[in-house]
Amino acid sequence: MSSDTPRRQFEDIDWDADRGVGLTRQTTGFLASLLVLATLFVYDYLRQSPLFEPNPVLRDGWDITQLDWLFTLSLLLFCFYIIAPLWTNRRMAAHYWREFRKNRAAVVSLGYLVILFTLGLFGPLLVGKPSVELIQGYQPPVGVAVDNSVPLQCAGRVANGQCYGSWAFPLGTTGEGKDILALVVLGMRVSIRIGLITSFLIISIGATVGTVAAYLGGLVDEVLMRYVDIQQVFPSFLLYILLIYLFGGSLLMFILVFGLLSWGGTARLVRSAALQRSENEYVEVARCAGANATHVIRRHILPNVSGTVITNLTLLIPGLILFEAGLAFLSLGDPTIPSWGQTIAAGRSDLGSAWWVSTVPGVFLFLTILAFNFVGDALRDALDPRSEGNT
Amino acid sequence: MRWYVVRRLLWAVVATFIILSITWALLLVTQEQALASIQFQAAVSGGDAEAAREAYEQRRGLDRPLWRQYVDYMTNMATFNWGYSTSRGQPVTAAIMDALPYTVMYSVPWTVLTVVFGLSVGLYSATHQYSKFDYAATFVAFFGYAIPNFWFGIILLVIFGVHLDLVPIVFDPDVPVFSLANIKQLVLPVFVLTTGSIASLARYSRAEALEYVQATFTKTAKAKGASERRILLRHVLRPAAVPLSTILVADLLGLFIASSYLVEVVFGIPGLGQLSFRAIQNQDTPLVLATTLIGVFIAIVGNLLQDIAYTVLDPRIDYGDR
């Protein structure tokens, strides 16, 4: 709050309205974008043909699916409730960055994740769907030479019976002649979708259930927490297996099953933190001064647990990405969407001759999970004010 | 405390009941779908859709009232009458009994190794915080967690199986359990699984143990002249074991169920995971249902045991008012 605000009488404070200028602007912005999104959705729903016809930039055109809508919604939330607050609260953001910067591996990892995010967001629009072309199968990546008998027709330089990789296929091609670079970029899209949409589901459901349970207590608390018990016991992996067996697999189902069943831990975390925090003096003071439950939850409880929740998420998301890759590897995933697991499975039998087919997506998968873990570890130290000093 | 254990036990039964009911409802929905497609096919091929429907319902027992179907399903589940697997030509329970030993064969050494290595690495890292070993252990833990199990397995098979010819590439289910050949073919799956699961246990045990390494009672023990080992086992491990037991069951079980699919498929081990996987491919509904439900029951029992272990391990927790 700026310094020229006139000093207000204590009793004058309207606890419901006083939420600062930044937050209101942020909420209006979010609601406005939501309205635009809803209009577009209705327009797309009523129009039968794809929203974007094939054109020189978007090679194959773009028919927006339910998954795309869900993803855009999550992206909006991410922009308005993570990026925007950091932007308006420069001092806090700078503090977090100083703490975060202490961990060098985490900074590199964050850079990698930002690149992955950008490529996954915009790359698929440019590369188009890789097509099967047997004639260009088994091309080695740039800088690698293999025996000339491996590819049917070497696209690059041939010398001494060795086929060298060409820049036409920087990461080589699969046995079916699909460009691995395109497959990798499309796989990034899968990963960021899993990451963003499931985080959105987990945070919104988990935080709501946790705070409601802690605040209402009694029977509501008991019922909600017993439900979480059952959900935690039930392995979502097996439910997913059962569901794809019964209804067929899709990425949307994967995200919904894992997103809607993995918020139990977050809800428990938020509930216990909310119970703990509501004993604190500052909450008591706020309450004595006339703040209602919504205000206390918004201003004192949620900001206090947000660090824990975000850290928890950065450790949860890589697990989900790994799960998706594993399922795609077993061909239990979405057969229509190219993903890393699928490419690894495709190159499995050729490891002896064309080792790069499985290895390139495998390395990307490995790096992504590693990066998430490093970032999560550093975030835990940076975001949690109580961990200061004794890490 | 006894009352608490009884309540936990009852709760496990209720949870099983709810989960079975949900599965029944799911099955019912898909049966309706299958029925619709059968009727459609009959109508297309000029047959009588109504007759096809009746024949299908008769065969599946769908002509009975709903509550009757539900009760029959529940009694069948409770009496281990789990149906007949068409793809394997044997009862479902027999198929599971055939597959179970192979799963046990790699999961027992895996669990033992994970607990032993995970705990000792974690404890050592905690007592030697910020030493070279601590950094190395953290790095190895991250590495093991981040490397995708199935991909790591394939790579190792190519290196050690194809190029170095140290281990067999194809799993042979007929070798005796306690023989060199069997150990040889189980080394890689156990290694891959252990590297994947050591990480979480080591990191959690490090974090938990750190809380007690600096505690006043540990300092007192040191001042009294208690040996390093006694301090570690009695004063650090004992209190740290309580939260660790939760992580152990919850984390390892989840990992176990998912990795059993991947590792068994990659290494060709004919265990429960592969049984379930093949059942999905062959559209063998009773077998899919049984193999997935077994996983769910293992999870329920594991969670129950964990809660009971909690009460035994930590006398400080009072369960009187829960």
Side-chain angles (χ1 to χ4, degrees), chain B residues 117-137:
Chain B
F117 278 112
L119 274 184
S120 39
V121 168
L123 283 182
Y124 191 88
S125 282
T127 46
H128 299 76
Q129 210 186 349
Y130 302 127
S131 64
K132 275 206 183 97
F133 180 88
D134 186 20
Y135 282 119

Side-chain angles (χ1 to χ4, degrees), chain A residues 226 230 233-234 237-238 241-242 245-246 323 326 329-330 348 351 358 362 365-366 369-370 373-374 377 391, chain B residues 18-19 23 30 129-130 142-143 145 147-148 150-151 154 158 203 258 266 277 280 283-285 292 299-300:
Chain A
R226 284 302 84 92
I230 294 195
V233 166
F234 200 99
F237 175 75
L238 292 180
I241 293 271
L242 211 58
Y245 172 69
L246 297 175
F323 254 148
F329 174 78
L330 293 175
R348 193 185 154 191
L351 264 176
S358 284
L365 188 56
F366 170 67
I369 292 156
L370 201 64
N373 273 295
F374 278 130
D377 227 35
T391 38
Chain B
I18 294 173
I19 286 165
T23 345
T30 45
Q129 210 186 349
Y130 302 127
F142 270 145
F143 178 83
Y145 174 76
I147 199 157
F150 54 99
W151 178 61
I154 303 172
V158 168
R203 293 205 49 80
V266 166
F277 179 63
I280 293 172
Q283 299 284 308
D284 191 345
T285 311
T292 40
I300 291 178

Side-chain angles (χ1 to χ4, degrees), chain A residues 84-135:
Chain A
L86 281 180
W87 191 256
T88 42
N89 266 324
R90 299 279 173 81
R91 200 179 61 81
M92 224 36 219
H95 169 74
Y96 288 147
W97 176 242
R98 262 197 314 278
E99 288 291 319
F100 187 83
R101 215 175 39 189
K102 286 180 187 164
N103 192 335
R104 203 162 308 151
V107 175
V108 176
S109 303
L110 189 69
Y112 170 80
L113 286 183
V114 168
I115 294 172
L116 182 101
F117 186 81
T118 324
L119 270 180
L121 202 57
F122 302 110
L125 300 177
L126 305 174
V127 294
K129 255 202 169 126
S131 53
V132 175
E133 261 175 76
L134 292 173
I135 195 81

